[in-house]
Amino acid sequence: MAHTADRTARRAAPVVVVTGASAGVGRATARAFGARGASVALLARGRDGLERAAEEVRAAGGRALPLVVDVADAAAVDAAAGRVEDELGPVDVWVNAAFTTVFAPAEEVRPDELKRATEVTYFGFVYGTQAALRRMRPRDRGTIVQVGSALAQRSVPLQSVYCGAKHAIQGFTDSLRCELLHDRSGVRVTMVQLPGLNTPQFSWVLTRLPRHPRPVAPVYQPEVAAEGVLRAVDHPGRREHWIGGSTVATLIGQRIAPALLDRYLARTGYDSQQTGEPVDPARRPVNLFDPPDDTAGTDVGAHGAFDDEAHPRSLQLWLSRHRGALAVGAGLATTAVAAVAGGVRRRS
């Protein structure tokens, strides 16, 4: 009986694939799914980072299957999806989070760098989505989450490579959503737009900036992003989920006054994306072509170098999660105020 109950529990637990799972948002997301008891397949290039991430998933209460995969390789991604279903079961959730990029003025990005970053950040999402669809479509169920950014809709200077790829993901996802609606498919696709995050990317991204790159303030911990991804999985019918007050302000500002934002970012976008420390190329790892966390002892974890200023929670996300209760509370407060006002009028 115990073995039967164990098998039933494992079938009931969702099977989740997370790309870019060795660090940053992908790692925090994999750990968060592990805390829900999910069976999590972790895809990334860095072997040591993957193994440590898998240990965290297991410690949180989930099952873990680390797979060394370059998401820019379509055949490798599809093969990994097949192995996940063979070892863990049918994929319920696929989270695309892998990326790499270049910090530099647009004219200083070399063709091979642009090609590689786009292959990982854009085509990696496409290949992951296609691998998920091949398995979810016949079952008519499943959720695909695209980890996006406010920069998917509002570009900033010095990040033309990243912004271009995230804009492309937005366009691809919008097109796919229409196709799924046309076919009345039970598969859902949604996108999570994120703020500036304290991830390791700023310490290993290829940069040609004179000073150390940094996320634009306010900065949030990657666990905030992971919470947003889980909320998207819980509410896959929403086309987008905006995480963080700065994301909301940026995306609304882009819709209302894009030209004003152009001028504002032209003035502030260079300094706000660099610290005061000079870059030392000789001592700096670069993850564009090779993973820095591949060998023993090179794991960097989910967090970057900005723990001292990163917010562990998002008020905007809390308000979004509790908006039903807040609406009821606001209604009760309005009723109470109206009742008090009516009583005052009657007494007078």
Side-chain angles (χ1 to χ4, degrees), residues 107-126:
E107 72 273 15
E108 295 182 18
V109 181
R110 297 169 186 165
D112 62 326
E113 297 165 351
L114 174 60
K115 181 174 183 290
R116 173 61 182 167
T118 303
E119 286 175 342
V120 173
T121 309
Y122 172 59
F123 286 110
F125 274 57
V126 173

Side-chain angles (χ1 to χ4, degrees), residues 327-343 345-346:
V328 172
L332 292 173
T334 301
T335 301
V337 170
V340 171
R345 284 195 298 271
R346 285 193 296 273

Side-chain angles (χ1 to χ4, degrees), residues 9-347:
R10 288 191 173 189
R11 283 198 299 271
V15 174
V16 181
V17 177
V18 181
T19 72
S22 64
V25 172
R27 180 145 173 181
T29 299
R31 188 168 58 227
F33 275 114
R36 286 190 169 189
S39 297
V40 185
L42 304 93
L43 277 58
R45 295 177 299 158
R47 194 177 304 273
D48 189 48
L50 272 177
E51 291 296 338
R52 303 290 82 75
E55 291 174 3
E56 291 177 357
V57 169
R58 296 180 188 114
R63 299 171 67 200
L65 176 64
L67 299 173
V68 177
V69 177
D70 184 344
V71 296
D73 184 336
V77 172
D78 195 67
R83 182 174 168 188
V84 172
E85 297 221 327
D86 288 342
E87 299 192 26
L88 299 180
V91 174
D92 299 294
V93 177
W94 188 292
V95 179
N96 286 308
F99 80 96
T100 187
T101 187
V102 180
F103 272 77
E107 72 273 15
E108 295 182 18
V109 181
R110 297 169 186 165
D112 62 326
E113 297 165 351
L114 174 60
K115 181 174 183 290
R116 173 61 182 167
T118 303
E119 286 175 342
V120 173
T121 309
Y122 172 59
F123 286 110
F125 274 57
V126 173
Y127 299 152
T129 300
Q130 290 177 328
L133 288 171
R134 291 186 192 107
R135 290 152 180 87
M136 293 177 177
R137 282 277 214 164
R139 297 190 287 263
D140 198 35
R141 62 179 175 83
T143 299
I144 300 169
V145 180
Q146 315 289 38
V147 175
S149 166
L151 305 189
Q153 298 178 27
R154 171 63 253 183
S155 295
V156 297
L158 305 177
Q159 292 206 56
S160 60
V161 175
Y162 182 80
C163 293
K166 289 297 183 183
H167 274 69
I169 293 165
Q170 181 85 58
F172 170 80
T173 302
D174 289 347
S175 181
L176 171 61
R177 186 181 297 109
C178 293
E179 294 172 5
L180 293 172
L181 288 169
H182 171 270
D183 296 340
R184 294 182 172 83
S185 173
V187 178
R188 298 288 180 264
V189 59
T190 185
M191 195 160 178
V192 180
Q193 311 294 29
L194 300 179
L197 296 165
N198 175 37
T199 67
Q201 69 142 319
F202 300 96
S203 297
W204 65 15
V205 68
L206 175 59
T207 180
R208 295 202 170 88
L209 305 182
R211 291 173 282 140
H212 194 289
R214 58 156 292 140
V216 177
V219 183
Y220 296 87
Q221 295 288 23
E223 287 77 13
V224 173
E227 185 181 354
V229 171
L230 265 62
R231 177 166 176 76
V233 171
D234 293 339
H235 303 276
R238 290 179 59 180
R239 58 193 316 279
E240 287 187 4
H241 297 258
W242 296 359
I243 309 304
S246 57
T247 298
V248 174
T250 298
L251 296 182
I252 291 176
Q254 172 65 11
R255 295 181 181 184
I256 295 173
L260 183 62
L261 273 179
D262 287 344
R263 291 190 289 272
Y264 173 76
L265 289 167
R267 291 196 307 270
T268 66
Y270 278 61
D271 283 341
S272 65
Q273 296 185 86
Q274 299 179 76
T275 70
E277 301 176 8
V279 170
D280 183 358
R283 300 180 59 184
R284 182 183 175 85
V286 175
N287 79 333
L288 183 60
F289 295 102
D290 299 297
D293 56 345
D294 192 42
T295 57
T298 56
D299 173 46
V300 296
H303 289 201
F306 302 95
D307 274 332
D308 57 339
E309 64 173 286
H311 301 289
R313 288 173 294 277
S314 164
L315 176 61
Q316 175 274 334
L317 183 57
W318 186 90
L319 291 172
S320 176
R321 192 170 60 247
H322 295 87
R323 60 183 178 179
L326 290 170
V328 172
L332 292 173
T334 301
T335 301
V337 170
V340 171
V344 170
R345 284 195 298 271
R346 285 193 296 273
R347 287 195 298 273

